[in-house]
Amino acid sequence: MNNNNKKMRYVGAPCGSGKTYAVCKSIGEAAKTGTLNNTLIISPSKDLIGQTKEQLTTFGVDPIVITSDTTKNVSAYAVELFKDTDTQGQVVLMTHAGFQRTPVFLNKQYWHLYVDEIPSVDTFHDPIIPYNHQLLTDYLDIIPLNGTVNEVTIKDGMEPSVNMFLRQSNDEIYNIVKPILRDLIEGRMVYTDTKAYGKIVEKQEISKDTPADAAYGNAKNRLYFLSMLTPAIFEGWDETTILGANFENSMLAKYWNEYHQIIFLPSEEIYSRLRYERHDIGERLSIRYIQDDTWSKYQRDMEPHTDCNFQSYGNAIDDYVENVVFKDSRYVYVANTDYENTNLKNAERMPVISHGLNAYQDHTNVYYSPAINRQPKHMQMLDAIGFDNTFVQRATSHEIVYQAIMRCALRNPNDDSAVNVVVPDKASCTSLARLFPGCSIGGIDNNKLKRTKPPSKSVGERKRNCQFNKLLEGMKLTKRVRFSYIDEECTDFINLDMTPNNATNTSNQNKIVISFFPNIHTTHGTTENITDLVGFRRDLKKLFTTNVYGDGFNISGTSGKKDNFLCSPAAFDPSKSD
C-alpha cells in the first residue's frame, strides 16, 4: 500500500446526524457544477441502497444500482462497468457483500469510494479438520506471534495452486478449509490458535476416538482461525471515506491503525454539512435494563420463576415489557433470528442489523432483546491481538443496540416526543447513557422476572451432560429408543420405548425400570421399563465403546467416576426426597 493509501477519511458522527444525506447533497452539488468525480457508494443492505438512491434522486442524480435485483451476476456486471466508464461523472451503488465478491475494479484510481457503515472486521472459523492434513500443510506457513495465536500465511509460490483449489467443485472435505484459504487469498490477516494447531496439524496428535471413516475428523480435532479484514480491500481508490457512528471507537479503526498504520482523517467537507456532531436529546430518553449480568441466549431460554406461566425467561420478559412497561402501546421489537414469540400483539419487529434504516421513526418505544456474544475461543484470540472483552462489547454488541434504538423517533429532527427503551443488561444501558447525556436510566424491579438459575457447571460437568445427550441420541439411532415427552410441565422426563431384540420376548417376561442421570446435580432423570435386558446391556456396552452416531463422538475412556452417568435399576421420585 502506497503512502496515499495509508490515509483514509472518516465521518464518525452520531446516528441521525445525516451522514449519508450530506454525501448525497455533496454529490448533487458537484453534478450541477460539472465537477463530480466518479463515485461508488457501498452499503450493508439493499434497503439502505434504496434510501440512498431516493436521496440522490432528490438532488438530480440518477445512480447505477448493482445488486441481485438489477443483474444476475453482480461481480461480472461491476467488472464490465468499471472497465468502460469515463473518468468523471458516474455514481454507482452496491452492497458491501457485492463489493467484496467483485474480484477487480479497473480504473478505480479515478473513483471516490464511500463506505456507508463500518464493515465487520473479524470472522471466526472453527472447522473440524480432516485427517488428511495435506489440505493445510501443503499450502500454509505458520509464523509465531505469541503464546496464544500464530499468524497464517500462504506459502511462497502457492497462490496459483490455492486459487485452483478454490475453483474445484464442491467437496465435503475441501469445503472445510476453503473459507480459510479464501480469506487469505482476499488479503485478510488470519490467525490460528497455537495450541490446537500445534497438537493436531504439526504434531499430528490425532484423537483415537474416530468414526469408521476417519477422513472426516471429529470434534476433538477442531482448529480455530480468526480472520481479520485488512485495508487491502480499499487499496488503490482515489480516496476512501468511511461513514459510521462512533467510528473512532470501532474495531476497524483500532485494528487498521495499530496493525496497518492507517491514518484516519476527518472528512471536513462532509462534517460541515451534518445536522449535529453529538446528541443533545438525552432528556427525551429513558433507558431501562432487565438484569445486571451480561445477557445471553442461555439465560433467555432458562425456566422462569415458578410463579410464571411461561415457557422461558425470555417469554416472561417479553410479556412484562409489552403489558407493564409499554402498557399495551405499540413498539419496535428486536430479537435474535432464532427466537420467536408469537404472543406479542403490539410489536413491529425490526432486524437486528438495522443501520441507516428510516422506516421506524414514528415509534417512541423500543424493546431490544438480542444476545450478541462471541464464542469464548473467539474472544480469547481477539484478546491475544489486543482486543479485550470490554472494548469488543462496546464496539460491536453495544453499537448494535445503539443503532437499533436510533431507528425510532430519536432519529427525527422534527420530533420531540419522549422515548422509552428497554435493553437486556446493565452494560448495554450504561454504554448507551454515555452517548445521551441527561438521559434517565435504571433497572426493572419485578420479582416475577427472576429466573430459575441452575448451579454453575464445571467443564467436566458440561462434558458429562454432552456425553449423556449423545448416549440417548446414539440409542435413538440404534432404533431401540423412541423419544416422546410424557409430561408437558417437566420435559426432563423422556419416555424410552425399548423395542425387544427378538421375537421370543413377550409381555409376560419380567420387567425392570432403568433410570438415567447425566450428573450428580440432576434430580429428574429419564426412566423406562426394560423388557429385553440382554439386548439393552449389549446396546449400552456398544455405546460406551463404539461410535454409532458418525460425528466423531465417543464416551469410552472416562477418567473417573465423575465422568460417568448414573444408570440405576430403580425409579426415583424427587418429590419424596427429604
Side-chain angles (χ1 to χ4, degrees):
M1 184 175 285
N2 59 42
N3 289 332
N4 185 49
N5 282 291
K6 283 288 185 181
K7 296 180 181 180
M8 293 185 187
R9 301 282 178 181
Y10 76 91
V11 182
C15 293
S17 59
K19 294 183 290 294
T20 307
Y21 181 86
V23 169
C24 293
K25 185 175 182 180
S26 175
I27 290 172
E29 291 177 357
K32 287 182 180 180
T33 60
T35 59
L36 176 63
N37 293 323
N38 283 336
T39 303
L40 171 62
I41 303 175
I42 62 173
S43 304
S45 68
K46 290 189 286 187
D47 287 341
L48 197 50
I49 283 178
Q51 289 182 185
T52 303
K53 181 180 179 181
E54 288 181 9
Q55 291 175 344
L56 286 168
T57 302
T58 63
F59 293 112
V61 177
D62 185 20
I64 299 171
V65 177
I66 308 178
T67 69
S68 57
D69 292 340
T70 62
T71 178
K72 293 182 178 179
N73 192 322
V74 170
S75 58
Y77 186 84
V79 169
E80 288 300 314
L81 177 67
F82 274 73
K83 181 171 64 176
D84 298 331
T85 53
D86 297 328
T87 58
Q88 192 172 356
Q90 295 283 348
V91 178
V92 177
L93 307 180
M94 295 181 69
T95 63
H96 286 191
F99 176 84
Q100 293 190 35
R101 287 197 302 267
T102 301
V104 61
F105 288 92
L106 299 174
N107 301 311
K108 62 183 177 180
Q109 67 271 24
Y110 302 116
W111 287 72
H112 190 146
L113 173 65
Y114 284 101
V115 183
D116 197 358
E117 303 300 341
I118 306 167
S120 176
V121 72
D122 62 311
T123 303
F124 184 65
H125 305 287
D126 59 345
I128 298 173
I129 294 298
Y131 295 94
N132 179 9
H133 288 123
Q134 288 182 337
L135 290 172
L136 293 174
T137 54
D138 283 356
Y139 298 133
L140 303 182
D141 272 334
I142 301 299
I143 301 173
L145 188 63
N146 55 46
T148 304
V149 296
N150 293 330
E151 184 181 338
V152 182
T153 63
I154 296 176
K155 287 183 176 179
D156 290 342
M158 292 301 295
E159 284 198 13
S161 298
V162 171
N163 278 314
M164 184 178 299
F165 175 82
L166 292 174
R167 288 193 296 269
Q168 291 178 359
S169 61
N170 286 335
D171 178 274
E172 188 170 353
I173 298 179
Y174 290 171
N175 288 341
I176 294 173
V177 297
K178 276 185 176 181
I180 294 101
L181 296 176
R182 187 174 292 110
D183 284 353
L184 287 165
I185 285 292
E186 292 175 354
R188 297 175 70 102
M189 290 282 288
V190 177
Y191 305 91
T192 188
D193 178 72
T194 301
K195 183 177 179 180
Y197 196 91
K199 173 181 177 292
I200 296 169
V201 178
E202 295 176 344
K203 295 181 181 179
Q204 305 246 340
E205 294 179 3
I206 309 302
S207 169
K208 294 180 181 179
D209 178 16
T210 62
D213 184 358
Y216 290 92
N218 64 54
K220 293 184 178 180
N221 297 325
R222 189 182 297 278
L223 295 181
Y224 306 97
F225 294 90
L226 175 64
S227 173
M228 303 292 288
L229 188 71
T230 69
I233 190 173
F234 300 143
E235 182 179 2
W237 298 85
D238 177 47
E239 185 172 84
T240 297
T241 302
I242 303 176
L243 315 175
N246 307 311
F247 174 83
E248 302 92 325
N249 299 313
S250 68
M251 288 183 65
L252 184 144
K254 176 180 173 64
Y255 183 67
W256 285 12
N257 176 256
E258 294 182 4
Y259 274 75
H260 300 279
Q261 294 73 53
I262 297 298
I263 300 171
F264 291 105
L265 304 172
S267 175
E268 301 295 347
E269 199 272 334
I270 301 301
Y271 266 107
S272 67
R273 299 173 180 271
L274 298 177
R275 298 186 187 122
Y276 51 81
E277 295 186 27
R278 61 185 58 82
H279 290 302
D280 59 359
I281 53 175
E283 70 281 354
R284 294 173 51 197
L285 178 61
S286 173
I287 311 170
R288 296 292 177 264
Y289 62 90
I290 302 296
Q291 63 178 38
D292 290 342
D293 301 338
T294 300
W295 184 239
S296 69
K297 292 182 179 181
Y298 173 72
Q299 294 171 333
R300 178 196 71 189
D301 297 335
M302 281 182 177
E303 293 182 6
H305 191 279
T306 53
D307 292 339
C308 293
N309 296 318
F310 298 101
Q311 292 183 345
S312 69
Y313 181 46
N315 289 163
I317 295 173
D318 294 346
D319 181 81
Y320 183 80
V321 171
E322 178 166 277
N323 296 302
V324 179
V325 179
F326 294 150
K327 300 178 180 178
D328 295 325
S329 299
R330 58 193 293 269
Y331 61 96
V332 171
Y333 173 57
V334 189
N336 290 107
T337 56
D338 67 342
Y339 179 77
E340 188 72 34
N341 188 343
T342 58
N343 295 321
L344 300 179
K345 301 175 182 178
N346 304 313
E348 180 178 357
R349 188 149 182 174
M350 183 174 72
V352 177
I353 305 301
S354 56
H355 299 50
L357 297 181
N358 294 323
Y360 305 90
Q361 293 187 40
D362 60 330
H363 284 276
T364 58
N365 297 315
V366 180
Y367 170 33
Y368 181 94
S369 72
I372 310 293
N373 299 309
R374 290 166 171 79
Q375 296 182 33
K377 179 61 73 172
H378 188 173
M379 275 308 313
Q380 180 186 349
M381 296 180 72
L382 282 171
D383 186 70
I385 61 171
F387 294 91
D388 65 73
N389 184 64
T390 300
F391 178 87
V392 172
Q393 284 290 102
R394 289 181 179 176
T396 54
S397 301
H398 297 170
E399 182 64 24
I400 294 172
V401 181
Y402 168 65
Q403 291 282 347
I405 74 164
M406 282 304 297
R407 301 309 107 201
C408 70
L410 292 173
R411 189 174 184 82
N412 187 346
N414 300 316
D415 193 334
D416 59 0
S417 303
V419 172
N420 299 299
V421 171
V422 175
V423 295
D425 55 44
K426 187 175 183 178
S428 300
C429 179
T430 55
S431 182
L432 287 175
R434 293 187 184 96
L435 301 174
F436 296 95
C439 69
S440 170
I441 66 173
I444 290 177
D445 184 16
N446 183 9
N447 289 330
K448 289 186 177 181
L449 290 182
K450 289 182 178 179
R451 62 184 182 273
T452 302
K453 186 175 182 180
S456 60
K457 294 182 175 63
S458 66
V459 174
E461 288 170 336
R462 290 194 295 268
K463 177 181 177 182
R464 290 195 300 277
N465 285 347
C466 179
Q467 290 173 335
F468 180 73
N469 291 334
K470 290 294 185 178
L471 167 65
L472 296 180
E473 183 66 17
M475 294 173 71
K476 179 181 177 182
L477 293 179
T478 63
K479 301 187 184 304
R480 289 185 178 277
V481 178
R482 172 176 55 80
F483 291 95
S484 62
Y485 292 113
I486 60 176
D487 187 335
E488 294 180 356
E489 297 299 320
C490 182
T491 55
D492 285 328
F493 285 104
I494 302 178
N495 180 32
L496 307 180
D497 181 22
M498 307 300 296
T499 303
N501 193 42
N502 54 64
T504 63
N505 290 296
T506 68
S507 59
N508 296 323
Q509 287 184 296
N510 293 330
K511 297 180 180 180
I512 67 169
V513 175
I514 297 292
S515 296
F516 293 98
F517 292 80
N519 60 65
I520 61 176
H521 300 291
T522 305
T523 58
H524 293 74
T526 59
T527 63
E528 179 55 40
N529 295 323
I530 307 298
T531 58
D532 179 16
L533 181 58
V534 174
F536 172 74
R537 289 176 59 189
R538 180 171 60 250
D539 285 349
L540 192 62
K541 181 178 180 181
K542 182 179 180 182
L543 286 167
F544 269 87
T545 56
T546 309
N547 186 302
V548 298
Y549 14 85
D551 66 350
F553 190 93
N554 193 297
I555 54 181
S556 63
T558 54
S559 59
K561 67 179 182 180
K562 287 187 176 182
D563 291 328
N564 286 315
F565 324 111
L566 170 63
C567 179
S568 174
F572 291 88
D573 185 350
S575 66
K576 296 180 180 180
S577 300
D578 292 335

